[in-house]
Amino acid sequence: MALFNFRLQKLLDIRTEKEEESKRNFKEAQGQKDKVENSLNNMKQNYSRYNSVTVKEDVVQQKIRRNYLYALNTSIDEKTIELNKKIIVLDKKREELKEKQIDRKTVEILKDKKKIEFLDIEKHVEQVQNDEFALYGYIRNREGR
């Protein structure tokens, strides 16, 4: 029985490699987005914690608190913009990954079809050989009588 040799195996290997690289890029972009998202959530928690005004504070402490809240609010706005950019990058990486998976699967499906075709041909050749052996055996038995 002959061995199956897929002529586009190198192409399949290259596309698989590109898909793996795209997966790594996607995971990296996901990690960066998660990091920015966590930072933004921490800032929002700090803002909500220090947003309440207490009666016990004097004017200086209230002014310091107000300045801190203003700076925190500005940072929250900047982080929100950064998060939106990271989400856009993540979506772009996701689309690239889908594209790479489609490319790989296209060649993989082609390989599967070629392998099935190869196996069908092998089965046919084997069946023809078995039929010939059976015919030779039948003829030999008929002549021997």
Side-chain angles (χ1 to χ4, degrees), residues 36-37 39-41 43-44 69-87:
V36 170
E37 200 169 31
S39 176
L40 180 63
N41 289 335
M43 286 181 190
K44 286 181 179 179
L69 289 174
Y70 177 76
L72 199 55
N73 196 24
T74 305
S75 295
I76 287 173
D77 292 341
E78 290 173 0
K79 281 292 181 185
T80 303
I81 292 170
E82 185 180 349
L83 179 63
N84 290 335
K85 288 179 182 178
K86 296 291 183 184
I87 288 172

Side-chain angles (χ1 to χ4, degrees), residues 18-33 85-101:
K18 286 184 178 182
E19 180 188 1
E20 291 301 319
E21 180 182 342
S22 184
K23 282 181 186 177
R24 284 190 300 273
N25 291 340
F26 176 75
K27 285 181 182 179
E28 181 181 317
Q30 179 73 38
Q32 290 175 355
K33 184 202 80 116
K85 288 179 182 178
K86 296 291 183 184
I87 288 172
I88 291 170
V89 168
L90 183 65
D91 288 340
K92 194 181 294 184
K93 298 288 184 185
R94 181 178 288 117
E95 289 301 317
E96 287 177 10
L97 178 59
K98 285 180 185 177
E99 206 174 281
K100 302 291 184 193
Q101 286 175 335

Side-chain angles (χ1 to χ4, degrees), residues 58-74:
D58 61 359
V59 177
V60 175
Q61 288 176 335
Q62 287 179 359
K63 187 165 181 136
I64 291 171
R65 178 186 297 266
R66 214 172 322 138
N67 287 341
Y68 175 70
L69 289 174
Y70 177 76
L72 199 55
N73 196 24
T74 305

